[in-house]
Amino acid sequence: MNHYPLFADLNGRPVLLAGAGKVAERKAESLLQAGAAVRVVARELNPVFQKWADEGKIEWLGSEFHDDDLDDVFFAVAATDDYAFNRRIFQAAEQRAKLCNTVDTADLCSFTVPAVIDRSPLKIAVSSGATAPVLARKWRQIIETLIPLHTGQMAALAGKWRNAVKAKIKGTANRRRFWENLFDSRFNALAAQGNLDAAEAELAAQLDGFGAAKGEVVLVGAGPGDAGLLTLHALQAIQAADVVFHDALVSDDVLSMMRKDADKISVGKRAGSHHVQQEETNRLLVEYARQGLRVVRLKGGDPFVFGRGGEEAQVLRQANIPYRIIPGITAALGATAYAGIPLTHRDCAQSALFVTGHSKHDGHQPDWRTLALSNQTLVVYMGTLKAAETAEKLMAHGRSGDTPVAIVSNGTLPHQSVVTGRLKNLSELAENAPRPAMIVIGEVVSLRDELKWFQENPAQSRLHTLHEQAA
Ligand code: SAH
């Protein structure tokens, strides 16, 4: 099967449809939408067809099919529940060199109708060549989620400017480069925000300054590790990037979403092991964007949660580089969900606090009295090194040493591991926990026994049991 794909302009063109039941109705709907003049052969019309006939939207030829009904139509669709009748139409169509589509009957089709993703004027058709329509529909659904709703509006704007672009930029290759850059640039983001005027102004500006394109930086939250937790915006930004600066925390699965020809630069920094310094990262972001590149700064979790996204955005603002922020699922949300620990629960935690065990200004002391309050969940980022001190301070300020605690390591990843115990044993639990690790303190941790759902690495589960015994 090697079908030739095409998009037909049916506006005002007659088409023959056999059948006027539920199945035929779906066919008629899409034909009418395309503006076809639908002629129906059917013993009787269902109420919808009847209404269409009354309104003059379709023409009913009666119950008899005559071969010469095919003479002045462009193609036929056989959608009755009578195989023999459908076959008669197909055979007559073959003899008269007309295309015919028969519903759900591959051997009576000279053309098939694809599953369609409609972002008019952009349309994407998926076909399995009459072998597995359900599979084609499944792919349609997947693609549907990947193609933003505003794509149609972008296509319409592009259509409006097509001639102007052709007049200004010589050479097909140059024009292709212009359009590629445009669709991956701020133009896309502006259209996505529904700001079509600004998008059009951006198009005009890029056309004006073609060759001197200005880059941008997108601060993207990569989520805690499982690539399925990326947002659609994040995925699109990663795939559009010319260069990606990423943390050590960003998982390989997420990085594998990059274009193969894009540059990948690790600027990871983990407590203890210094890689590229923050000032150097800031400098590189500005430098690459100034070269007109689409720069993605990819950060574990969310860029604005203990991620220095705020500092980087400030630098970009000062350097006058356009930027966007795409939030991600922060580790506190991802790791607890995959560990089966609800952050709040009406019975035992009315609030959740996200704190860091590590701060830029040494000597800065958190308000331990507030942190030690009961009926709340405390989530500590970067907390394993200072776990002993944290536990001690919380207990000194009134939190019970028996408060349940969990340490979630490599949350949401296949090698996630979780250990649970009591606040008084937190430092021992933390000592052996693989990193990155997140400390969760509060009664909600005890719900894990009931709510645990994610399959964790068996080797780590053994450790889990040892700790349980120790606790
Ligand atoms: N911006 C990130 C946090 C960066 S700070 C976010 O929003 O998630 C780094 C800390 O995040 C680590 O020390 C650890 O406490 C936590 N962390 C990040 N990813 C994690 C993961 N997959 N599992 C557990 N903790 C994680």
Side-chain angles (χ1 to χ4, degrees):
M1 201 89 58
N2 191 10
H3 283 141
Y4 181 74
L6 66 83
F7 287 89
D9 175 5
L10 293 186
N11 202 18
R13 300 205 158 88
V15 168
L16 186 85
L17 174 66
K22 257 279 152 277
V23 178
E25 201 180 298
R26 280 205 322 268
K27 295 283 175 186
E29 256 165 23
S30 48
L31 290 168
L32 288 172
Q33 217 171 32
V38 180
R39 298 179 182 172
V40 177
V41 178
R43 244 169 274 137
E44 53 180 4
L45 302 183
N46 82 4
V48 176
F49 274 97
Q50 189 59 60
K51 184 162 163 278
W52 282 334
D54 294 342
E55 292 167 355
K57 286 194 178 147
I58 59 155
E59 184 188 346
W60 185 20
L61 303 181
S63 60
E64 290 283 308
F65 168 71
H66 309 282
D67 287 11
D68 54 14
D69 288 339
L70 290 168
D71 284 344
D72 50 3
V73 297
F74 283 76
F75 62 78
V77 176
T80 75
D81 51 10
D82 178 345
Y83 180 84
F85 187 59
N86 287 345
R87 189 180 50 199
R88 217 194 109 207
I89 295 174
F90 174 72
Q91 283 168 348
E94 288 285 275
Q95 269 166 20
R96 285 174 148 72
K98 298 282 165 148
L99 291 173
C100 180
N101 172 268
T102 306
V103 282
D104 283 338
T105 323
D107 56 334
L108 300 184
C109 282
S110 50
F111 77 97
T112 63
V113 181
V116 172
I117 298 109
D118 190 352
R119 297 285 185 275
S120 285
L122 182 85
K123 281 204 172 86
I124 296 171
V126 184
S127 160
S128 65
T131 55
V134 175
L135 189 67
R137 277 204 289 279
K138 183 180 143 61
W139 272 98
R140 185 194 69 84
Q141 275 169 7
I142 294 171
I143 298 170
E144 188 87 59
T145 59
L146 289 179
I147 310 225
L149 290 169
H150 68 276
T151 301
Q153 285 151 340
M154 287 204 324
L157 276 181
K160 183 170 161 196
W161 281 77
R162 200 171 161 187
N163 285 334
V165 171
K166 212 165 177 175
K168 165 121 201 233
I169 303 175
K170 300 295 161 213
T172 338
N174 284 334
R175 283 199 292 275
R176 189 177 36 195
R177 199 156 56 85
F178 170 79
W179 289 117
E180 273 174 7
N181 284 338
L182 182 79
F183 293 138
D184 284 337
S185 74
R186 283 183 76 68
F187 171 77
N188 184 3
L190 291 166
Q193 290 157 14
N195 201 341
L196 295 181
D197 290 341
E200 188 163 7
E202 176 71 24
L203 189 161
Q206 288 194 24
L207 182 57
D208 210 34
F210 181 68
K214 198 169 169 201
E216 70 161 350
V217 177
V218 195
L219 300 182
V220 179
D226 179 347
L229 296 176
L230 282 175
T231 64
L232 292 177
H233 277 321
L235 182 61
Q236 282 149 9
I238 293 168
Q239 290 179 340
D242 296 311
V243 52
V244 172
F245 290 90
H246 67 93
D247 288 348
L249 275 178
V250 176
S251 71
D252 293 342
D253 282 354
V254 169
L255 290 174
S256 72
M257 305 281 168
M258 287 173 54
R259 278 201 336 246
K260 297 294 160 254
D261 58 338
D263 285 331
K264 183 165 63 183
I265 302 177
S266 169
V267 289
K269 178 173 174 302
R270 278 196 183 168
S273 65
H274 284 259
H275 292 270
V276 183
Q277 292 289 344
Q278 186 64 46
E279 292 70 32
E280 176 69 355
T281 305
N282 296 347
R283 199 184 60 71
L284 287 171
L285 293 177
V286 171
E287 183 187 310
Y288 276 73
R290 287 215 169 115
Q291 289 169 25
L293 297 171
R294 287 179 299 257
V295 180
V296 158
R297 173 70 177 103
L298 191 57
K299 293 167 162 293
D302 178 88
F304 277 3
V305 179
F306 305 126
R308 303 189 181 179
E311 295 169 39
E312 287 170 10
Q314 284 173 314
V315 169
L316 295 168
R317 163 68 72 208
Q318 277 154 21
N320 211 10
I321 306 279
Y323 62 87
R324 289 184 283 137
I325 320 277
I326 300 177
I329 292 188
T330 189
L333 301 182
T336 53
Y338 278 51
I341 301 172
L343 280 174
T344 67
H345 192 286
R346 283 196 290 172
D347 294 339
C348 55
Q350 280 70 43
S351 59
L353 279 183
F354 297 178
V355 298
T356 168
H358 201 85
S359 79
K360 180 173 166 187
H361 307 289
D362 287 337
H364 172 87
Q365 279 294 318
D367 176 5
W368 289 106
R369 281 224 317 268
T370 308
L371 299 190
L373 291 176
S374 51
N375 283 334
Q376 75 182 358
T377 307
L378 197 58
V379 184
V380 191
Y381 288 72
M382 299 173 275
T384 47
L385 289 179
K386 292 204 175 162
E389 187 188 336
T390 303
E392 186 193 306
K393 287 271 175 31
L394 288 174
M395 291 187 292
H397 288 82
R399 192 106 203 207
S400 159
D402 286 327
T403 308
V405 298
I407 300 183
V408 186
S409 297
N410 296 302
T412 79
L413 290 161
H415 54 293
Q416 167 176 306
S417 62
V418 183
V419 289
T420 55
R422 303 279 165 189
L423 183 57
K424 58 187 178 216
N425 310 115
L426 183 66
S427 72
E428 299 144 50
L429 294 173
E431 239 162 64
N432 295 316
R435 283 183 230 154
M438 175 114 261
I439 300 176
V440 189
I441 302 168
E443 283 68 25
V444 287
V445 167
S446 51
L447 289 161
R448 168 173 157 84
D449 286 340
E450 191 186 336
L451 301 182
K452 172 178 168 181
W453 59 274
F454 183 68
Q455 293 299 325
E456 281 147 18
N457 178 342
Q460 298 296 346
S461 306
R462 208 177 49 80
L463 195 65
H464 172 82
T465 325
L466 290 177
H467 280 292
E468 291 275 89
Q469 282 163 359

